[in-house]
Amino acid sequence: MKKLLSFLLSICLIYLLTVPAHAAGSVSMKVSASSSTLHRGDTVTFTVSVSGSGAVTQYGLQLKFDSSVFEVVSGSHSVSGAQFAEFNPSRGFAVLYGSATTPSGKLGTFTLRVKDSAPFGSYTVSGNASAKNGTENVSASASGATVTVECKHSFGSWSKVDGSNHKHTCSICGKEESAAHTWNSGTVTKPADCQNTGEKQLTCTACGDTRTETVPLADHKYSAWTKVDDDKHTHACSVCGKEETAGHTWKSTVIKAANCISDGETKYTCSGCGLSRTETVKKNGVHTYDHGCDNDCNVCGATRTTSHKYSTDWDSDKSGHWHACVHCGDKQAAVSHIPGPEPTDDDPQTCTACGYILKPSLRHEHVYGDKLTGDENGHWYPCEQCTDQKDFAAHDFANDCDTKCETCGYERVTEHVWGTEWSYDEASHFHACTVCGEKNDEAEHDFRRGVCKICAAAEPGYVPYTMPTALAMLIGAAVGSGVTAAIFLLVGKKKKKNAA
């Protein structure tokens, strides 16, 4: 029975496609593609949708495409509720209803493959539409989808065109593409110096073409600076012999600072040639004080009259508030806090004079600042409304002589432990702290006969005499003199005596 219905429907489809439509109403079919750009060997799926303005009992779409470009792979209908519906690769879609129905929605899909020999170009895939209501033909139309078959290029290697460009060709369609050379950074084939330019060969990273560039003159290759006199030093280029002379570039080092009663000493060293000189800095009569309120000079003990300079702002802690001297921290007008109203849920109790928080609010939540505070024991982040502490930690000192915490900046007073024996290096001697190595009493060596008379350090290059060395020098000095002959004579007699 099913084969019979299929045969009858096929006959109807052929009849529909050959008899012109003239009944009322219309049926429209649209073909759309899953991709508009294709290559040889690709498959593409087409969707067919249908709509109508009147009822029909049967309709169909006969596929229409270029068979030299495409071949049918598969297809299926999407119609439900029909008495019969099918997709036939050679005839297309056919639908038969038991009663008149207005078509609407997706009719079905079919898949085509681009043949390996397909010509490149644009092609339209569509179909011949037909429809019938009973014995009357219904107007039917179909719109197609246009797709383009392009070459999936397979380009060969780049080859040189000229000094600026290269090209490559597609082995499938013969299309050529040109592009500018892509030069690498190059290899120096002839180094430049201060007298002659050099050469560098650059290579195209795509086609291998080469070109040569000139390397500009290089800077002079000067030797180390050498002293000319106390004012100048000089150096010369090892290539062309050009000489340059310039004034010394002095770098100063204070060996001993001048003060109110004693001269100082400063060493100047040329950073170019290493020449050094020492200058005396006259005592300056300027006294040294720890701060603006210190009355005694730290060097000579001279006294002066000073007065405190108090800040107009309040300093405070939990015990009270005061005005502090900006120089030494001395307290003026230190008094106890004056409590304001008792705290509420939202507001703390504060001092009415300085604003110090005496009691936090009743619904107090700690609010920690982002600035560390500390004392001799450590540092922490304080709550802005009470004395609570967050992230307490011990101070971070580099060693027992370090005076400043590297984390919070807290400063303490320490004392170096100076060694009693002289320490020294090539340039000077000093007393070193046994804890941190800090130098004290540093001064240049005072060499006498190759040895510093202060610390006993040997002068650079000095080789002390040993007994074998002294004996060898004595014998060498005697060579060519009568002493030599006497020595040999004595040795000979001693040997004969021993032999006897």
Side-chain angles (χ1 to χ4, degrees):
M1 182 66 180
K2 185 174 181 181
K3 289 183 179 180
L4 178 60
L5 285 173
S6 177
F7 173 74
L8 292 174
L9 186 59
S10 299
I11 297 298
C12 291
L13 180 58
I14 294 172
Y15 174 76
L16 288 168
L17 295 173
T18 56
V19 178
H22 54 78
S26 64
V27 175
S28 176
M29 282 171 268
K30 180 181 179 181
V31 180
S32 57
S34 59
S35 176
S36 60
T37 302
L38 306 172
H39 303 106
R40 290 173 177 171
D42 287 351
T43 58
V44 56
T45 299
F46 295 88
T47 301
V48 182
S49 56
V50 61
S51 61
S53 62
V56 297
T57 55
Q58 52 188 297
Y59 64 92
L61 178 71
Q62 186 180 30
L63 301 185
K64 185 179 179 182
F65 58 85
D66 190 332
S67 59
S68 68
V69 178
F70 301 101
E71 59 185 3
V72 178
V73 176
S74 62
S76 62
H77 72 85
S78 302
V79 179
S80 59
Q83 185 176 352
F84 180 83
E86 75 164 4
F87 171 81
N88 187 294
S90 61
R91 294 188 296 272
F93 295 93
V95 180
L96 175 66
Y97 292 104
S99 60
T101 303
T102 301
S104 178
K106 184 177 178 182
L107 172 57
T109 61
F110 62 94
T111 301
L112 301 182
R113 179 182 179 277
V114 182
K115 292 183 176 181
D116 295 335
S117 59
F120 303 123
S122 295
Y123 302 94
T124 300
V125 176
S126 184
N128 295 322
S130 61
K132 195 174 180 68
N133 189 359
T135 59
E136 295 184 354
N137 294 325
V138 177
S139 175
S141 63
S143 60
T146 299
V147 296
T148 301
V149 178
E150 296 181 349
C151 178
K152 196 171 186 178
H153 298 301
S154 177
F155 287 103
S157 300
W158 291 99
S159 60
K160 174 183 176 181
V161 176
D162 52 34
S164 301
N165 303 287
H166 48 223
K167 69 177 182 179
H168 59 188
T169 305
C170 175
S171 61
I172 299 173
C173 66
K175 179 182 178 180
E176 286 187 353
E177 282 187 347
S178 297
H181 290 304
T182 53
W183 302 107
N184 64 7
S185 57
T187 301
V188 175
T189 56
K190 178 185 174 184
D193 56 32
C194 57
Q195 291 181 308
N196 304 291
T197 58
E199 289 184 353
K200 179 169 66 173
Q201 180 176 283
L202 287 78
T203 303
C204 175
T205 58
C207 70
D209 187 30
T210 60
R211 66 183 176 89
T212 301
E213 277 189 359
T214 299
V215 178
L217 292 174
D219 294 333
H220 294 288
K221 292 184 178 180
Y222 286 108
S223 59
W225 291 100
T226 57
K227 173 187 173 183
V228 176
D229 52 34
D230 291 341
D231 298 319
K232 301 182 292 295
H233 50 211
T234 186
H235 62 188
C237 175
S238 60
V239 177
C240 67
K242 178 183 177 181
E243 290 188 355
E244 279 189 348
T245 301
H248 294 299
T249 52
W250 300 109
K251 180 181 178 181
S252 62
T253 303
V254 175
I255 298 174
K256 179 183 176 183
N259 55 39
C260 53
I261 59 175
S262 302
D263 292 340
E265 194 174 22
T266 300
K267 180 180 179 180
Y268 294 90
T269 304
C270 176
S271 59
C273 66
L275 178 67
S276 64
R277 58 185 175 85
T278 302
E279 289 185 0
T280 299
V281 181
K282 296 297 183 181
K283 60 183 179 182
N284 52 32
V286 178
H287 298 294
T288 303
Y289 300 97
D290 291 332
H291 49 73
C293 296
D294 187 9
N295 294 323
D296 301 322
C297 173
N298 297 342
V299 177
C300 68
T303 60
R304 66 175 182 176
T305 302
T306 63
S307 59
H308 295 295
K309 182 180 180 181
Y310 294 102
S311 171
T312 56
D313 297 326
W314 289 106
D315 280 6
S316 59
D317 59 20
K318 62 182 179 181
S319 63
H321 50 254
W322 61 88
H323 294 294
C325 175
V326 298
H327 297 305
C328 67
D330 184 70
K331 298 179 180 180
Q332 182 191 53
V335 293
S336 299
H337 291 301
I338 305 172
E342 288 295 318
T344 64
D345 287 345
D346 299 317
D347 299 317
Q349 182 189 45
T350 61
C351 172
T352 59
C354 69
Y356 184 84
I357 296 176
L358 302 174
K359 296 179 183 178
S361 60
L362 300 180
R363 293 187 300 190
H364 171 59
E365 292 184 6
H366 295 303
V367 179
Y368 298 100
D370 57 1
K371 185 177 181 181
L372 285 168
T373 189
D375 56 20
E376 66 275 8
N377 299 313
H379 48 246
W380 63 87
Y381 293 100
C383 175
E384 295 178 351
Q385 297 187 24
C386 69
T387 59
D388 194 71
Q389 302 174 357
K390 184 182 79 168
D391 299 337
F392 178 88
H395 291 302
D396 184 14
F397 297 110
N399 51 57
D400 289 343
C401 294
D402 190 10
T403 60
K404 190 172 184 178
C405 174
E406 296 183 7
T407 302
C408 71
Y410 175 82
E411 294 188 3
R412 65 178 180 177
V413 177
T414 63
E415 291 185 3
H416 293 290
V417 181
W418 304 112
T420 57
E421 301 293 331
W422 285 103
S423 297
Y424 58 83
D425 54 26
E426 187 174 306
S428 62
H429 49 248
F430 46 85
H431 289 109
C433 176
T434 59
V435 177
C436 67
E438 180 77 16
K439 297 178 180 180
N440 188 36
D441 304 329
E442 185 177 11
E444 288 186 335
H445 293 301
D446 186 4
F447 293 114
R448 296 289 189 275
R449 296 181 180 178
V451 178
C452 178
K453 70 177 185 178
I454 304 298
C455 67
E459 188 174 8
Y462 171 71
V463 179
Y465 292 139
T466 61
M467 286 302 294
T469 303
L471 180 59
M473 293 180 66
L474 180 61
I475 293 173
V479 173
S481 67
V483 176
T484 304
I487 291 173
F488 283 124
L489 181 60
L490 289 172
V491 171
K493 287 183 178 180
K494 187 174 184 180
K495 284 184 177 180
K496 289 179 180 181
K497 185 177 181 180
N498 292 336

